[in-house]
Amino acid sequence: MKILVLDDEKIVGERLKASLEKDGHALETFINPVAALDRIREKAFDVVITDIRMDDMDGIQILEAVRKKAEKTKVIMITGYATLEVARESLTKGAFDFIAKPFKLKEIRGAIQKAEDALQAEKN
Amino acid sequence: MPIVLISSSPHGSGRELAQNLAEKTGWTLYSRDQVVEKAYETGIRLSRLETSIIKSPVIRENLARERDLYLALVAKTICETATDGNLIYHGRAGHLIAPGIPGVLRVGLGSTLEMRIDRVMKQLNLPQEKAREYLEKLDEDIEKWIRYIHRETSRNALAYDLFLNLQHMTLENASTILYETAILKDFRLTLEGRNKLDDKCLAANAKIHLARNPETSGMDLGIRAVNGAVTVTYMPRQEVSAASISKALRGLKGCRENICTMAETNILWIQESFDPKGENFDQVTQLAKRWGAAIELLRLDSEGKEIFLNHGLENSQSGPRSSQMDTGGVEDDDIDTGYEDKGLSETVEELVAIGRSAGGFSISGAAREVIDAVKDNNNYSLIILGNLFLSKGHETSTRLTRELGLELKEKLKAPVITSGELHSRFLFGKKQAFKLLGYVLATFLIYWLVFSFQDPILNILGGELHSKFKWAASIGIALFVPVVAYVYSTVTGLVLKIVDID
């Protein structure tokens, strides 16, 4: 799976990359939302994992942009500042899953697996 | 000098009403959003608590302690912000955040779904159908939140002092009505209310303080404050940490003195599996509430391969944390031991949520391991034995449970009963009501017979019949007195159960 990770905390991308690449996924990590959006426009990703609260742009804007550009891409929102309202807004706007920080790696693996299954089902 | 707590449906103009009132009056305005910000600053993991509502089941993640901390933080914020007695607070379930404080004005605000849909379409840039779906789902989420966090429902009319409906009223007029109500004498914070608010603030402060202290975090403590004195109740097995509690509270702002006391009443419940939704759980917690007792759970894994496995739940991760900086919130997985706790953690969570937890642990082995594991200095008031030795067959299981009961009774010097006996021994239900009725009737019948047939009775006891059949009187009394005593004591016992004196 081709996965893009966007989080303004560098450590998040590093930890996810180290862990998920072992599972056979190809990861690109970004800390800058604008650069991440440019990359999304250039390349089709299967999954985009994005933080919600960032300085330049929020995760909801990224979600909306991904939905417009690549409808099939599954967007997983991660945040340490979640509220019910934001979680529900994300899901209504087409987020595939919503994971609150701190989370265990198995949670993100589970969400990616579900995304993979959904993509497979859509192909068939 | 009022404290106004406003609650409205999401996107239901609660914020606008609060702002309008604040502009009219100059009273301090505070919102739930600010509490949420404060929670993050304090390190309370509100994220998982919030999203757990969407990702049910709620109680799988040791969130009961987060819930307690959140409520403490809300209470602390409200009390500290309302120092001059004036406050307008608005936000989710706002009307429920200061229970038991007299003089607080709890306001509900209603508006139609269509009005809210219009607002969501504009604010979140959603088409009408999506806005409707968003609101309907969010309303359900918030109802679940209120049930989990406040153990209430938003539809309870008694939880509001005033409910304003914006369907046929402008926001300006609603604000005027709210102002006129808020300045009524009924909603002035009395001295009693102020003292209660200060004590609530102090207790909340102490809770957060202890949760943030590495030596005391993760402990389930009963905390209350009266007139500046904080009383912390801990479980007997936490005795070694009592000094840390006192030390941690020293110097706490507003704390005149702190008293640490060990809980006097403790129920030990031993089973192979637990279910917080089961009938037994309801019965045990009902009894614990009546006695003011905490419940300690011991799960026996009689098929476990290891001789002894202690799986303490007390210090499970909870409370404010600072380690998130190191990992960015991406944590390594726990080592999968393949261990199934058969409802133990879920039940401990539920007990924490209702303030009755004395912790829980799990052991592998047989009766000997149970006896060795329980400590005889824990002041148990009752030991309840539930489903045990299930793999041994019914007869052996009953025998082993009985033998375990006898040994525990001997070691702990406390009454031991099975969960099947719990209801008949300590609780009052339909069956007991019928039993009481029957025995009351029997008592009346005995008295009626005695007073209606005095002549023949006296005759048997000391008259003509007595001289002829002396043995008959002795046999009659020997039979009659125990029957009367049994019937009468049964009635008395059941009546005492109704008035909660066991």
Side-chain angles (χ1 to χ4, degrees):
Chain A
M1 295 257 281
K2 284 172 280 181
I3 302 172
L4 181 143
V5 178
L6 167 62
D7 195 306
D8 56 2
E9 279 185 88
K10 203 176 171 196
I11 183 80
V12 174
E14 285 171 356
R15 284 182 66 79
L16 287 179
K17 192 174 171 71
S19 167
L20 297 176
E21 282 191 340
K22 280 185 198 159
D23 299 345
H25 302 299
L27 259 82
E28 289 186 33
T29 60
F30 291 84
I31 53 168
N32 183 332
V34 180
L37 265 183
D38 287 344
R39 188 65 180 139
I40 288 165
R41 284 188 195 107
E42 284 167 20
K43 183 180 168 182
F45 287 91
D46 298 309
V47 174
V48 169
I49 299 171
T50 176
D51 189 12
I52 291 189
R53 203 149 115 164
M54 291 172 289
D55 286 340
D56 298 337
M57 197 183 282
D58 72 26
I60 303 270
Q61 286 170 285
I62 299 287
L63 167 69
E64 286 170 338
V66 174
R67 301 304 300 159
K68 269 184 200 158
K69 165 73 181 62
E71 218 175 88
K72 283 184 182 168
T73 302
K74 305 296 176 206
V75 182
I76 298 170
M77 318 292 286
I78 53 173
T79 181
Y81 301 90
T83 62
L84 260 177
E85 290 79 359
V86 172
R88 190 48 79 193
E89 184 188 346
S90 305
L91 295 172
T92 307
K93 287 185 169 170
F96 182 75
D97 206 345
F98 191 100
I99 298 175
K101 288 182 192 170
F103 58 79
K104 302 276 181 201
L105 282 163
K106 68 176 177 189
E107 279 182 75
I108 202 93
R109 281 200 185 96
I112 291 170
Q113 185 58 53
K114 276 199 286 174
E116 196 170 356
D117 294 346
L119 285 168
Q120 198 58 44
E122 282 167 20
K123 269 184 197 166
N124 299 335
Chain B
M1 300 287 141
I3 293 179
V4 183
L5 306 175
I6 302 172
S7 178
S8 71
S9 309
H11 303 272
S13 304
R15 180 190 308 270
E16 290 73 11
L17 179 67
Q19 278 167 350
N20 189 305
L21 185 65
E23 279 162 21
K24 266 196 186 104
T25 58
W27 298 339
T28 310
L29 180 65
Y30 211 84
S31 73
R32 184 176 183 276
D33 295 344
Q34 287 167 282
V35 175
V36 171
E37 281 297 323
K38 206 156 196 169
Y40 291 126
E41 283 165 22
T42 316
I44 295 175
R45 293 185 300 172
L46 208 49
S47 261
R48 294 197 76 82
L49 192 61
E50 291 266 335
T51 49
S52 65
I53 299 296
I54 290 177
K55 294 186 163 194
S56 54
V58 166
I59 54 176
R60 287 299 300 161
E61 297 186 74
N62 294 328
L63 291 173
R65 294 183 188 108
E66 304 296 332
R67 167 190 173 269
D68 281 356
L69 277 178
Y70 165 73
L71 287 174
L73 181 73
V74 175
K76 174 177 144 69
T77 310
I78 294 307
C79 305
E80 286 177 354
T81 316
T83 43
D84 63 350
N86 293 326
L87 176 70
I88 304 162
Y89 174 90
H90 67 92
R92 188 192 305 165
H95 66 297
L96 296 172
I97 61 170
I101 307 292
V104 168
L105 175 57
R106 302 161 305 163
V107 184
L109 184 66
S111 47
T112 63
L113 184 61
E114 277 60 37
M115 288 162 75
R116 292 166 57 211
I117 287 172
D118 282 346
R119 293 167 63 88
V120 170
M121 286 168 68
K122 282 175 203 144
Q123 286 172 1
L124 303 186
N125 192 26
L126 281 172
Q128 193 180 32
E129 269 321 294
K130 283 278 177 191
R132 180 184 293 277
E133 180 197 320
Y134 164 79
L135 276 178
E136 284 174 351
K137 287 201 171 143
L138 190 57
D139 284 349
E140 278 174 32
D141 297 335
I142 286 174
E143 200 54 46
K144 278 191 210 163
W145 168 272
I146 293 173
R147 268 203 303 275
Y148 179 59
I149 300 292
H150 301 282
R151 309 252 151 193
E152 248 297 358
T153 156
S154 65
R155 293 180 182 87
N156 179 11
L158 289 175
Y160 300 97
D161 298 302
L162 176 70
F163 197 95
L164 297 162
N165 183 356
L166 289 183
Q167 196 175 359
H168 304 295
M169 192 184 343
T170 62
L171 192 81
E172 184 56 40
N173 287 344
S175 169
T176 306
I177 292 173
L178 180 52
Y179 172 72
E180 294 297 333
T181 311
I183 57 171
L184 291 174
K185 198 180 163 195
D186 309 58
F187 299 110
R188 265 180 223 159
L189 198 61
T190 58
L191 185 63
E192 184 204 355
R194 184 71 249 179
N195 289 340
K196 277 193 178 177
L197 205 61
D198 289 343
D199 284 339
K200 205 176 175 68
C201 183
L202 183 56
N205 243 332
K207 191 172 216 31
I208 293 167
H209 199 70
L210 290 171
R212 296 181 75 181
N213 187 306
E215 287 178 47
T216 50
S217 68
M219 289 172 79
D220 294 318
L221 303 166
I223 301 170
R224 64 194 170 87
V226 179
N227 296 328
V230 178
T231 306
V232 181
T233 311
Y234 59 89
M235 293 302 138
R237 68 200 158 74
Q238 296 169 327
E239 200 175 358
V240 283
S241 306
S244 309
I245 299 170
S246 264
K247 203 174 100 191
L249 289 180
R250 232 170 275 149
L252 181 72
K253 196 181 161 196
C255 179
R256 192 168 43 79
E257 63 172 322
N258 73 72
I259 306 152
C260 289
T261 59
M262 195 192 291
E264 285 180 3
T265 321
N266 207 0
I267 294 172
L268 175 64
W269 186 11
I270 308 172
Q271 291 203 153
E272 284 195 6
S273 59
F274 292 91
D275 176 11
K277 294 181 183 75
E279 192 187 347
N280 279 349
F281 179 82
D282 286 343
Q283 291 177 353
V284 177
T285 49
Q286 205 179 321
L287 185 65
K289 280 177 193 166
R290 260 173 51 187
W291 288 2
I295 302 163
E296 184 174 355
L297 307 180
L298 193 167
R299 187 179 95 76
L300 174 66
D301 180 5
S302 58
E303 289 172 34
K305 292 189 180 81
E306 287 174 57
I307 303 294
F308 189 92
L309 166 71
N310 195 346
H311 181 71
L313 292 166
E314 186 191 333
N315 290 318
S316 56
Q317 282 187 339
S318 72
R321 301 168 351 137
S322 55
S323 63
Q324 197 174 316
M325 289 298 285
D326 309 326
T327 63
V330 185
E331 296 182 344
D332 291 330
D333 294 334
D334 296 326
I335 296 161
D336 187 7
T337 57
Y339 171 78
E340 271 185 80
D341 80 351
K342 301 247 173 113
L344 180 67
S345 5
E346 229 180 307
T347 309
V348 170
E349 281 291 294
E350 191 58 21
L351 289 174
V352 172
I354 60 171
R356 294 281 158 216
S357 171
F361 61 108
S362 186
I363 59 165
S364 284
R368 177 50 43 207
E369 278 70 38
V370 174
I371 292 155
D372 290 343
V374 293
K375 289 181 182 148
D376 50 12
N377 60 348
N378 272 15
N379 294 341
Y380 293 118
S381 311
L382 182 69
I383 293 120
I384 301 167
L385 302 180
N387 52 35
L388 286 165
F389 313 109
L390 295 175
S391 61
K392 312 270 185 202
H394 179 66
E395 278 180 24
T396 314
S397 155
T398 311
R399 180 175 56 77
L400 290 173
T401 305
R402 195 172 53 237
E403 286 171 6
L404 174 64
L406 289 171
E407 289 204 51
L408 285 172
K409 193 173 178 180
E410 179 64 29
K411 181 179 177 182
L412 303 172
K413 310 280 183 256
V416 180
I417 60 161
T418 62
S419 51
E421 293 169 317
L422 185 65
H423 199 269
S424 59
R425 290 277 294 275
F426 293 105
L427 302 170
F428 195 89
K430 263 186 197 169
K431 202 174 154 191
Q432 282 69 30
F434 283 117
K435 191 175 170 186
L436 177 62
L437 185 67
Y439 278 88
V440 166
L441 290 175
T443 309
F444 277 113
L445 182 68
I446 290 167
Y447 280 109
W448 180 76
L449 288 172
V450 168
F451 288 106
S452 303
F453 300 96
Q454 288 186 21
D455 284 346
I457 290 168
L458 289 172
N459 200 356
I460 290 171
L461 292 176
E464 213 174 292
L465 276 173
H466 180 73
S467 50
K468 278 184 190 169
F469 308 104
K470 280 190 176 167
W471 51 270
S474 309
I475 292 174
I477 288 172
L479 291 174
F480 185 72
V481 171
V483 169
V484 174
Y486 176 72
V487 172
Y488 202 72
S489 65
T490 306
V491 171
T492 317
L494 288 166
V495 169
L496 288 177
K497 219 181 261 184
I498 296 175
V499 293
D500 284 357
I501 303 172
D502 294 316

